[in-house]
Amino acid sequence: MNNIVWHNNKVDEITRINKLNQRGLVLWFTGLSGAGKSTIAVEVEAELTRLGFVAYILDGDNLRHGINSNLGFSKDDRDENIRRIYEIANLFCNAQIITLVSAISPYEKMRCEAREKIVGRDDLGAPADVSLFCEIYIKASVETCKSRDPKELYKKEIIGADTIYEAPENPDIIIDTEKLSVEESVKIIVQYILEKQIDYLLPKILEIAIYAAYDAGKIILDVYKKDFDVKYKDDKSPLTEADKKSNGLICGQLKKYSPYIDILAEESVDDKKRLSNKFCFIVDPLDGTKEFIKKNGEFTVNIGLSYNNKSVMGIIYAPCLNKFWYAVRNRGAYALDLNKNILKLFDGNTKIKVSERTQDLIVMKSRSHSDERTEALLEKNKNKIKIITDRGSSLKGCMIAEGLADIYYRFGYTMEWDTCAMQCIIEEAGGIFVQGDWTEMTYNRENSLNEKGFIILNRIENKLD
């Protein structure tokens, strides 16, 4: 072996990850013949592809038509079959492809070897990166598998009731196909993958949501340019044709991610099943309807995403300005004027941050929702304040994120869809966003009313007394 040298690639792991916008992962489907491994794996691959990921199945039977065609079914041959499969899977994983292996792989020892090959070991001998391998036990009794027997292996006694199959001791996922449908099984597995891939999933979602917001903006402007009727909801808030059309378009496009991401939208019926989902889009199809009615141009389209009740993505689009503000967790915040720039996500030239001002502060006020408590607070702290200015909708938060203003106190009621997108943008720009009592703001709640108001600051030193 001395004449064999390992050659390193010029393309490193990070480059591949950024190019594909995903991380390599091996999903190892194990279980008896007839349990449903291939059936479920095929559907998972299709769903991942639909959601914008690059995925590929290494099916045990398919590989026996080619690279493993010289192997039989003795224990040694079965072990060699699995060894070859996990070596191939490791290469695919290194290429950052989500790889689905569907093979009986009856022996625990070989499955452990597969995991160790993919995951590797650190300097202390511990697993190096457990997130790279997921063992999925497709569970079904021998009797059930015999009744299905799609390949007639049991009938031909190639596989019998006494066949040795060592069920996984601690699989990452158990899918009992005697209790779960294919659709239910696929949802569990894809949901698991989305959580594992969240840092790469968010930019994919961002692009879809930006185009949804832009298209909604065009619909809103079509209504804006003509006379329109105004109705009022039970809470006395106004409702126009633009609100409803924008809501329908956005929700229709975001449903691409159903059933893995639920939607809470201002103009849609609230489906409480969202509460059991870690992911939830939070949509205000027309934030600032009062400003829309006044025709002052200060209204926006807001699309946020919560994960584990925290805002992790935000898009705010101002149709009259043709300008976007957007952010993704750990990626920074950006402001993009489409009158000056083409759409290029995560462009360093459009990255924004809050100001560093601690004196001569610029304070934002709501154009349509002022209150006595806010007025009293501003009067008490007027020595710190240089300018007080007002804007409609979420534009106030966008100005703070962009460094054009510093403070906004809102003590009145708002809703989740008023703040979710804005919070991510503020925080990724380096600012502070909290409830009016200085506790954390959360999302995808039973009660969507923000009862405590909220506070936005560029710096904690600018907290008003």
Side-chain angles (χ1 to χ4, degrees), residues 219 223 226-229 239-246:
I219 287 177
V223 177
K226 63 183 183 181
D227 294 332
F228 51 83
D229 294 328
L239 176 67
T240 70
E241 177 186 359
D243 295 82
K244 294 185 287 186
K245 285 187 172 181
S246 174

Side-chain angles (χ1 to χ4, degrees), residues 109-126:
K109 176 178 177 293
M110 295 308 295
R111 295 196 300 267
C112 288
E113 281 190 18
R115 182 186 291 271
E116 185 162 336
K117 180 66 179 185
I118 307 300
V119 170
R121 295 280 175 178
D122 63 21
D123 293 339
L124 299 177

